[in-house]
Amino acid sequence: MDNRQIEVGGIKCHTFDEIISLENLFCAWDEFKRGKIKKIDVLDFNLFLENNIFCLHKELKLKTYRHSDYTSFYIKDPKLRHIHKACVKDRVLHHAVFKILYPIFDNSFIFDSYSSRINKGTHRAVVRLNRFAKKASKNNARNCYFLKCDILKFFDSIDHKILISLIKKKIKDKDAVWLIEGIIKSYSTSLLKGIPLGNITSQLFANIYLNELDRFIKDNLRIRYYVRYCDDFLIVSNNFRYLTGIIPKIKTFLKGNLKLSLHPGKIVIKRYHQGVDFLGYVSFPHHIILRTKTKKRMLKRIEKRIKDLKNNKISKQSFGQTIQSYFGILKHCKSYKLKKEIIEEYGSISI
């Protein structure tokens, strides 16, 4: 058989070999282990690292690999979330898959999708949103409105067949599709629906799925001022009636094409001067403040870190890093009084 690379639709059909290569698996391990190396299951895997990676490579090459069951638990962040955690071997593979698939799909995403993407994130999304508001309001010379929506039970509602069909548009390597299907079908909330919050691949799959919504909004509805972060999205306009008129169109597209629904209690249209709550910040025409709930959660976490410090669970250096990370959040909004409060109350501990 000719081993030369075959290209279909611009994507080289050797994706599977790239994913399962020893080089990629070891790189995936290096990325996966960051911040987890002291955990027991990670230590156990690391103890026989080479043997574990070589065995995983062999299973994949022979296609005897089967995804293991998940361990489920709940976290409060800040609302209660049901997390499903795969074993270390599977999570290393998730990183290996993500590493190869990400650049293939990221090129097809719109600019204003900000979740789980390099050089994006919450702060850039908020900055972009405010830039759109200034343009739509002609630098606050006229009224400007925000339509804010999110999707009802998004991760639990993702349809496996639709997701796989979207992936197949880009990935033509049958072995790679076999592996990706195995990861997708390793979890379900109901018949062929749902992806787990705990997988790094789920972040990419979520963007692949909602890229269809992004394209509908940008290409079909021709909306200029649109920002999405995971399943939360906002549309900015100076026309209130226009925003109310596009809601049914978005609902129809989501239901008919992606089998999704907007959360009925979270469809909001507000004036810019009323303040727009998005990704932990509240944006106004002339300033941005931290959401009250975010502020309270931040102070509560600092208190917990102080208890950990006093009980010798963390070092002063670690506590200082916590304070600095929160200052990184605060630099994006009006927060002089809060910074001063934190420095006066806790600053000496972080030195």
Side-chain angles (χ1 to χ4, degrees):
M1 180 178 173
D2 191 344
N3 290 322
R4 289 175 298 178
Q5 294 169 1
I6 304 170
E7 292 197 11
V8 180
I11 304 299
K12 292 175 181 176
C13 290
H14 60 327
T15 314
F16 184 70
D17 291 337
E18 289 184 349
I19 292 170
I20 73 166
S21 71
L22 288 168
E23 180 184 4
N24 190 50
L25 291 174
F26 276 107
C27 283
W29 162 254
D30 288 337
E31 291 174 4
F32 161 75
K33 72 178 181 181
R34 288 173 192 162
K36 307 182 188 79
I37 199 63
K38 292 183 180 180
K39 295 186 176 180
I40 293 173
D41 54 349
V42 180
L43 283 169
D44 288 344
F45 192 89
N46 190 48
L47 193 62
F48 302 101
L49 177 61
E50 289 193 4
N51 184 57
N52 286 329
I53 295 293
F54 275 93
C55 284
L56 175 57
H57 171 74
K58 186 178 179 181
E59 286 179 23
L60 291 165
K61 192 171 184 179
L62 296 176
K63 296 178 77 172
T64 58
Y65 168 81
R66 297 294 180 270
H67 199 286
S68 302
D69 291 335
Y70 290 86
T71 302
S72 70
F73 56 93
Y74 289 89
I75 62 168
K76 200 171 183 181
D77 184 38
K79 64 183 180 182
L80 199 65
R81 296 183 185 276
H82 196 188
I83 303 296
H84 290 80
K85 179 180 172 184
C87 69
V88 172
K89 180 177 79 170
D90 293 333
R91 283 184 284 160
V92 170
L93 178 60
H94 298 164
H95 275 265
V97 170
F98 182 88
K99 188 176 176 62
I100 301 303
L101 295 193
Y102 177 85
I104 295 172
F105 285 95
D106 191 69
N107 289 332
S108 65
F109 297 155
I110 66 166
F111 182 86
D112 288 308
S113 163
Y114 287 88
S115 175
S116 306
R117 297 180 67 195
I118 297 168
N119 296 323
K120 298 290 181 178
T122 56
H123 301 136
R124 289 176 189 260
V126 172
V127 168
R128 183 72 162 171
L129 190 65
N130 282 275
R131 190 173 299 161
F132 284 163
K134 285 182 179 179
K135 288 182 179 179
S137 65
K138 301 293 183 185
N139 283 325
N140 304 317
R142 60 183 181 181
N143 281 331
C144 171
Y145 303 91
F146 288 80
L147 167 61
K148 182 183 175 185
C149 306
D150 83 1
I151 292 166
L152 182 66
K153 297 181 180 178
F154 170 58
F155 280 88
D156 287 348
S157 302
I158 289 176
D159 185 275
H160 289 183
K161 288 183 180 179
I162 295 173
L163 175 58
I164 291 164
S165 71
L166 294 173
I167 289 169
K168 283 180 177 180
K169 289 180 181 180
K170 284 278 188 182
I171 304 300
K172 305 301 180 181
D173 184 334
K174 290 182 180 179
D175 290 334
V177 170
W178 163 80
L179 177 57
I180 295 162
E181 279 194 65
I183 293 172
I184 293 170
K185 292 179 179 179
S186 67
Y187 171 89
S188 64
T189 52
S190 58
L191 186 61
L192 297 177
K193 278 185 177 288
I195 58 174
L197 285 171
N199 290 0
I200 189 172
T201 47
S202 295
Q203 299 168 13
L204 178 60
F205 294 157
N207 276 333
I208 291 169
Y209 208 78
L210 285 185
N211 188 51
E212 299 302 297
L213 172 65
D214 298 341
R215 290 295 174 188
F216 172 73
I217 285 175
K218 299 297 287 185
D219 300 339
N220 293 69
L221 299 183
R222 301 287 182 182
I223 292 170
R224 289 182 65 190
Y225 304 138
Y226 166 76
V227 174
R228 181 177 64 79
Y229 188 94
C230 196
D231 60 326
D232 292 330
F233 63 91
L234 287 101
I235 296 169
V236 187
S237 175
N238 53 35
N239 189 324
F240 180 85
R241 291 180 67 184
Y242 172 73
L243 290 179
T244 58
I246 63 174
I247 294 170
K249 295 177 183 179
I250 293 171
K251 285 182 175 180
T252 299
F253 175 83
L254 285 171
K255 182 64 72 176
N257 295 74
L258 298 174
K259 296 184 181 180
L260 297 174
S261 303
L262 292 181
H263 194 304
K266 295 184 179 180
I267 302 171
V268 179
I269 300 179
K270 294 184 76 173
R271 286 189 176 92
Y272 191 20
H273 75 261
Q274 292 177 296
V276 179
D277 189 338
F278 186 53
L279 302 178
Y281 298 95
V282 183
S283 297
F284 294 90
H286 301 290
H287 65 284
I288 302 170
I289 63 172
L290 199 66
R291 180 195 290 163
T292 302
K293 287 182 180 179
T294 306
K295 175 184 172 181
K296 288 180 179 178
R297 191 162 69 249
M298 177 186 293
L299 294 175
K300 190 175 180 180
R301 286 178 177 174
I302 290 174
E303 290 289 348
K304 183 182 182 303
R305 295 291 280 176
I306 286 173
K307 287 181 182 179
D308 290 341
L309 179 64
K310 288 179 178 178
N311 292 326
N312 295 317
K313 292 182 178 179
I314 60 170
S315 64
K316 283 188 177 182
Q317 181 183 6
S318 178
F319 179 80
Q321 288 170 348
T322 298
I323 298 294
Q324 291 306 315
S325 70
Y326 285 134
F327 280 0
I329 293 171
L330 294 175
K331 74 179 181 181
H332 298 280
C333 62
K334 186 178 179 181
S335 57
Y336 174 78
K337 288 183 180 178
L338 181 55
K339 283 180 185 175
K340 188 177 178 182
E341 180 184 334
I342 291 172
I343 290 170
E344 288 176 353
E345 187 73 22
Y346 313 117
S348 60
I349 302 175
S350 64
I351 298 171

PDB file of all heavy atoms in Angstrom, residues 302-315:
ATOM      1  N   ILE A 302     -10.094  33.386  49.736  1.00  0.00           N
ATOM      2  CA  ILE A 302      -8.902  33.911  50.411  1.00  0.00           C
ATOM      3  C   ILE A 302      -8.913  33.502  51.877  1.00  0.00           C
ATOM      4  O   ILE A 302      -7.886  33.096  52.433  1.00  0.00           O
ATOM      5  CB  ILE A 302      -8.815  35.448  50.267  1.00  0.00           C
ATOM      6  CG1 ILE A 302      -8.495  35.824  48.815  1.00  0.00           C
ATOM      7  CG2 ILE A 302      -7.740  36.019  51.187  1.00  0.00           C
ATOM      8  CD1 ILE A 302      -8.528  37.316  48.532  1.00  0.00           C
ATOM      9  N   GLU A 303     -10.089  33.596  52.511  1.00  0.00           N
ATOM     10  CA  GLU A 303     -10.225  33.175  53.913  1.00  0.00           C
ATOM     11  C   GLU A 303      -9.850  31.700  54.079  1.00  0.00           C
ATOM     12  O   GLU A 303      -9.186  31.319  55.054  1.00  0.00           O
ATOM     13  CB  GLU A 303     -11.666  33.408  54.399  1.00  0.00           C
ATOM     14  CG  GLU A 303     -12.045  34.866  54.571  1.00  0.00           C
ATOM     15  CD  GLU A 303     -11.354  35.523  55.755  1.00  0.00           C
ATOM     16  OE1 GLU A 303     -10.758  34.804  56.578  1.00  0.00           O
ATOM     17  OE2 GLU A 303     -11.399  36.762  55.837  1.00  0.00           O
ATOM     18  N   LYS A 304     -10.280  30.882  53.124  1.00  0.00           N
ATOM     19  CA  LYS A 304      -9.961  29.449  53.188  1.00  0.00           C
ATOM     20  C   LYS A 304      -8.454  29.224  53.052  1.00  0.00           C
ATOM     21  O   LYS A 304      -7.868  28.394  53.761  1.00  0.00           O
ATOM     22  CB  LYS A 304     -10.693  28.685  52.091  1.00  0.00           C
ATOM     23  CG  LYS A 304     -10.459  27.167  52.142  1.00  0.00           C
ATOM     24  CD  LYS A 304     -11.159  26.453  51.017  1.00  0.00           C
ATOM     25  CE  LYS A 304     -10.962  24.942  51.116  1.00  0.00           C
ATOM     26  NZ  LYS A 304      -9.535  24.538  51.125  1.00  0.00           N
ATOM     27  N   ARG A 305      -7.820  29.984  52.148  1.00  0.00           N
ATOM     28  CA  ARG A 305      -6.367  29.846  51.957  1.00  0.00           C
ATOM     29  C   ARG A 305      -5.616  30.298  53.212  1.00  0.00           C
ATOM     30  O   ARG A 305      -4.560  29.731  53.536  1.00  0.00           O
ATOM     31  CB  ARG A 305      -5.918  30.669  50.753  1.00  0.00           C
ATOM     32  CG  ARG A 305      -6.479  30.206  49.421  1.00  0.00           C
ATOM     33  CD  ARG A 305      -5.915  28.883  48.977  1.00  0.00           C
ATOM     34  NE  ARG A 305      -4.603  29.035  48.375  1.00  0.00           N
ATOM     35  CZ  ARG A 305      -3.831  28.026  47.967  1.00  0.00           C
ATOM     36  NH1 ARG A 305      -4.258  26.775  48.120  1.00  0.00           N
ATOM     37  NH2 ARG A 305      -2.658  28.236  47.430  1.00  0.00           N
ATOM     38  N   ILE A 306      -6.160  31.284  53.930  1.00  0.00           N
ATOM     39  CA  ILE A 306      -5.531  31.718  55.180  1.00  0.00           C
ATOM     40  C   ILE A 306      -5.581  30.593  56.212  1.00  0.00           C
ATOM     41  O   ILE A 306      -4.596  30.315  56.905  1.00  0.00           O
ATOM     42  CB  ILE A 306      -6.230  32.981  55.727  1.00  0.00           C
ATOM     43  CG1 ILE A 306      -5.852  34.196  54.883  1.00  0.00           C
ATOM     44  CG2 ILE A 306      -5.848  33.241  57.185  1.00  0.00           C
ATOM     45  CD1 ILE A 306      -6.601  35.454  55.235  1.00  0.00           C
ATOM     46  N   LYS A 307      -6.727  29.910  56.292  1.00  0.00           N
ATOM     47  CA  LYS A 307      -6.843  28.764  57.215  1.00  0.00           C
ATOM     48  C   LYS A 307      -5.847  27.667  56.837  1.00  0.00           C
ATOM     49  O   LYS A 307      -5.204  27.061  57.704  1.00  0.00           O
ATOM     50  CB  LYS A 307      -8.269  28.212  57.180  1.00  0.00           C
ATOM     51  CG  LYS A 307      -9.292  29.107  57.868  1.00  0.00           C
ATOM     52  CD  LYS A 307     -10.684  28.492  57.819  1.00  0.00           C
ATOM     53  CE  LYS A 307     -11.717  29.412  58.456  1.00  0.00           C
ATOM     54  NZ  LYS A 307     -13.093  28.833  58.382  1.00  0.00           N
ATOM     55  N   ASP A 308      -5.729  27.411  55.516  1.00  0.00           N
ATOM     56  CA  ASP A 308      -4.767  26.402  55.047  1.00  0.00           C
ATOM     57  C   ASP A 308      -3.341  26.801  55.410  1.00  0.00           C
ATOM     58  O   ASP A 308      -2.516  25.952  55.785  1.00  0.00           O
ATOM     59  CB  ASP A 308      -4.876  26.221  53.526  1.00  0.00           C
ATOM     60  CG  ASP A 308      -6.166  25.531  53.120  1.00  0.00           C
ATOM     61  OD1 ASP A 308      -6.786  24.886  53.987  1.00  0.00           O
ATOM     62  OD2 ASP A 308      -6.546  25.622  51.932  1.00  0.00           O
ATOM     63  N   LEU A 309      -3.043  28.110  55.311  1.00  0.00           N
ATOM     64  CA  LEU A 309      -1.699  28.608  55.653  1.00  0.00           C
ATOM     65  C   LEU A 309      -1.422  28.418  57.141  1.00  0.00           C
ATOM     66  O   LEU A 309      -0.345  27.948  57.535  1.00  0.00           O
ATOM     67  CB  LEU A 309      -1.591  30.085  55.266  1.00  0.00           C
ATOM     68  CG  LEU A 309      -0.256  30.784  55.567  1.00  0.00           C
ATOM     69  CD1 LEU A 309       0.869  30.164  54.750  1.00  0.00           C
ATOM     70  CD2 LEU A 309      -0.366  32.280  55.277  1.00  0.00           C
ATOM     71  N   LYS A 310      -2.414  28.769  57.969  1.00  0.00           N
ATOM     72  CA  LYS A 310      -2.243  28.643  59.425  1.00  0.00           C
ATOM     73  C   LYS A 310      -2.101  27.183  59.857  1.00  0.00           C
ATOM     74  O   LYS A 310      -1.442  26.877  60.849  1.00  0.00           O
ATOM     75  CB  LYS A 310      -3.428  29.282  60.144  1.00  0.00           C
ATOM     76  CG  LYS A 310      -3.414  30.806  60.061  1.00  0.00           C
ATOM     77  CD  LYS A 310      -4.626  31.406  60.756  1.00  0.00           C
ATOM     78  CE  LYS A 310      -4.589  32.931  60.704  1.00  0.00           C
ATOM     79  NZ  LYS A 310      -5.785  33.546  61.328  1.00  0.00           N
ATOM     80  N   ASN A 311      -2.724  26.275  59.088  1.00  0.00           N
ATOM     81  CA  ASN A 311      -2.634  24.839  59.392  1.00  0.00           C
ATOM     82  C   ASN A 311      -1.484  24.157  58.657  1.00  0.00           C
ATOM     83  O   ASN A 311      -1.411  22.929  58.621  1.00  0.00           O
ATOM     84  CB  ASN A 311      -3.955  24.156  59.031  1.00  0.00           C
ATOM     85  CG  ASN A 311      -5.100  24.597  59.932  1.00  0.00           C
ATOM     86  OD1 ASN A 311      -4.901  24.871  61.115  1.00  0.00           O
ATOM     87  ND2 ASN A 311      -6.296  24.687  59.376  1.00  0.00           N
ATOM     88  N   ASN A 312      -0.597  24.978  58.055  1.00  0.00           N
ATOM     89  CA  ASN A 312       0.589  24.491  57.333  1.00  0.00           C
ATOM     90  C   ASN A 312       0.246  23.584  56.143  1.00  0.00           C
ATOM     91  O   ASN A 312       1.047  22.715  55.775  1.00  0.00           O
ATOM     92  CB  ASN A 312       1.537  23.755  58.298  1.00  0.00           C
ATOM     93  CG  ASN A 312       2.106  24.682  59.354  1.00  0.00           C
ATOM     94  OD1 ASN A 312       2.498  25.804  59.052  1.00  0.00           O
ATOM     95  ND2 ASN A 312       2.137  24.211  60.596  1.00  0.00           N
ATOM     96  N   LYS A 313      -0.928  23.775  55.574  1.00  0.00           N
ATOM     97  CA  LYS A 313      -1.300  23.007  54.384  1.00  0.00           C
ATOM     98  C   LYS A 313      -0.718  23.624  53.114  1.00  0.00           C
ATOM     99  O   LYS A 313      -0.562  22.942  52.102  1.00  0.00           O
ATOM    100  CB  LYS A 313      -2.828  22.909  54.273  1.00  0.00           C
ATOM    101  CG  LYS A 313      -3.468  22.058  55.347  1.00  0.00           C
ATOM    102  CD  LYS A 313      -4.975  21.976  55.131  1.00  0.00           C
ATOM    103  CE  LYS A 313      -5.636  21.084  56.175  1.00  0.00           C
ATOM    104  NZ  LYS A 313      -7.110  21.011  55.991  1.00  0.00           N
ATOM    105  N   ILE A 314      -0.453  24.929  53.158  1.00  0.00           N
ATOM    106  CA  ILE A 314       0.181  25.629  52.032  1.00  0.00           C
ATOM    107  C   ILE A 314       1.283  26.534  52.569  1.00  0.00           C
ATOM    108  O   ILE A 314       1.321  26.846  53.764  1.00  0.00           O
ATOM    109  CB  ILE A 314      -0.839  26.475  51.227  1.00  0.00           C
ATOM    110  CG1 ILE A 314      -1.493  27.529  52.118  1.00  0.00           C
ATOM    111  CG2 ILE A 314      -1.890  25.597  50.566  1.00  0.00           C
ATOM    112  CD1 ILE A 314      -2.328  28.551  51.364  1.00  0.00           C
ATOM    113  N   SER A 315       2.168  26.968  51.687  1.00  0.00           N
ATOM    114  CA  SER A 315       3.273  27.856  52.081  1.00  0.00           C
ATOM    115  C   SER A 315       2.864  29.326  51.909  1.00  0.00           C
ATOM    116  O   SER A 315       1.866  29.636  51.256  1.00  0.00           O
ATOM    117  CB  SER A 315       4.497  27.570  51.215  1.00  0.00           C
ATOM    118  OG  SER A 315       4.220  27.880  49.855  1.00  0.00           O
TER     119      SER A 315
END
